[in-house]
Amino acid sequence: MEDEVTDQIMYVLNQLVLWVAAGAMVFGGVVPYIPQYRDIRRTQNAEGFSTYVCLVLLVANILRILFRFGRYFETPLLWQSIIMIATMLIMLNLCTNVRMATELNTKRRSFTDFDWSHFWSWSRFVDYLQCVLAFTLLAAYITYLFLDSSVFVETLGFLAVFTEAMLGTPQLYCNYQNKSTQGMSIKMVLMWTSGDTFKTVYFLLTQAPVQFWTCGLLQVAVDIAILFQVYYYSRYPQKPASHTVSHTTSAKAL
């Protein structure tokens, strides 16, 4: 009798841990963007946030959703992609509204102009929606045509997670160019590292497709490289301490 009670308690605890882990996977990726969203609304200045972060995450998560049609993966990862897409659209809407309010004399640019020199620098949020919708429909159509090809499906999955895995490299390169990490939030990088480590362990424990955990390891490696830059440039300064380094800190998904 006691063994049965113990088994039931362990089962409940195990399920609770799984639910908490799944919840962290679903919502953890959007957490870094909450303070960013609040800062932009408070200051009415979107210069500190690159909308190309939104572009990369939109592409990565749309491809990940399409990948699920050819290769099943855990439902929490699907919901993570859906919520991340919604979050990036919200961020784009805010950034576009702020830009329009501060650049009244700027010539209006739209997606239907098909001017590549102004790609992803449009004046209205609806233009971003049109671009995302066009990309989704095109990618979905190509996926439908080649869904029976295992090579295509596996490549699609790799592109999805590899795109997201490379999101931290602009910050790494920016630090290298500036020979400094001044102005970069160390707390944010620590949040990246802990989130990416948790995500990679989750991929391994749930036996997610190999593309997921290999690119998760790559993300952790990039995070560690950035943390090493923090140590190296603080221990061996490459520029005078009085020199101010100006650059934009990248945001990324956990």
Side-chain angles (χ1 to χ4, degrees):
M1 183 67 178
E2 291 182 357
D3 291 340
E4 292 181 1
V5 173
T6 302
D7 290 341
Q8 290 179 352
I9 293 175
M10 292 302 297
Y11 174 78
V12 172
L13 290 175
N14 183 58
Q15 291 297 115
L16 182 61
V17 170
L18 290 176
W19 290 339
V20 171
M25 281 299 303
V26 172
F27 297 103
V30 305
V31 171
Y33 301 98
I34 295 175
Q36 185 74 65
Y37 181 90
R38 296 178 63 182
D39 286 345
I40 294 174
R41 287 202 62 177
R42 178 175 54 84
T43 62
Q44 288 298 296
N45 185 348
E47 292 181 2
F49 179 76
S50 173
T51 55
Y52 283 99
V53 171
C54 300
L55 173 62
V56 172
L57 286 175
L58 284 168
V59 170
N61 285 280
I62 289 170
L63 293 179
R64 184 196 285 186
I65 292 174
L66 294 175
F67 174 58
R68 196 173 192 263
F69 287 96
R71 177 83 177 274
Y72 177 82
F73 55 78
E74 291 290 317
T75 301
L77 299 180
L78 174 63
W79 280 108
Q80 181 196 44
S81 292
I82 294 172
I83 291 175
M84 182 59 71
I85 290 172
T87 301
M88 290 301 101
L89 291 176
I90 291 172
M91 292 295 297
L92 276 174
N93 185 39
L94 176 63
C95 292
T96 305
N97 290 338
V98 169
R99 244 194 346 257
M100 288 182 66
T102 57
E103 300 177 0
L104 297 177
N105 296 324
T106 302
K107 180 182 177 182
R108 296 293 185 245
R109 299 181 291 268
S110 66
F111 170 67
T112 52
D113 291 338
F114 299 111
D115 185 354
W116 286 103
S117 62
H118 295 123
F119 177 77
W120 210 252
S121 298
W122 302 305
S123 303
R124 301 176 303 163
F125 175 62
V126 67
D127 293 300
Y128 292 94
L129 281 179
Q130 290 172 352
C131 180
V132 171
L133 181 61
F135 172 77
T136 302
L137 291 176
L138 178 62
Y141 180 68
I142 295 174
T143 302
Y144 173 76
L145 292 178
F146 296 98
L147 195 59
D148 293 333
S149 170
S150 59
V151 174
F152 173 82
V153 171
E154 296 301 324
T155 302
L156 182 66
F158 175 78
L159 289 175
V161 291
F162 183 76
T163 302
E164 184 175 343
M166 289 291 98
L167 200 58
T169 55
Q171 185 65 61
L172 183 70
Y173 182 68
C174 183
N175 294 340
Y176 173 75
Q177 277 192 317
N178 294 328
K179 305 300 181 185
S180 170
T181 58
Q182 185 178 348
M184 185 189 71
S185 172
I186 298 176
K187 292 181 180 179
M188 178 66 73
V189 180
L190 290 173
M191 186 183 295
W192 294 351
T193 308
S194 60
D196 290 338
T197 301
F198 171 81
K199 179 173 64 176
T200 304
V201 172
Y202 181 87
F203 289 157
L204 290 169
L205 293 179
T206 57
Q207 297 181 341
V210 65
Q211 296 96 327
F212 283 67
W213 59 262
T214 51
C215 288
L217 290 173
L218 180 59
Q219 280 182 286
V220 174
V222 172
D223 297 338
I224 293 174
I226 295 175
L227 288 175
F228 176 76
Q229 286 180 322
V230 174
Y231 165 78
Y232 183 81
Y233 292 134
S234 62
R235 187 72 179 272
Y236 308 102
Q238 306 294 303
K239 290 185 177 182
S242 60
H243 184 82
T244 301
V245 180
S246 175
H247 61 79
T248 300
T249 300
S250 300
K252 83 185 187 68
L254 292 178

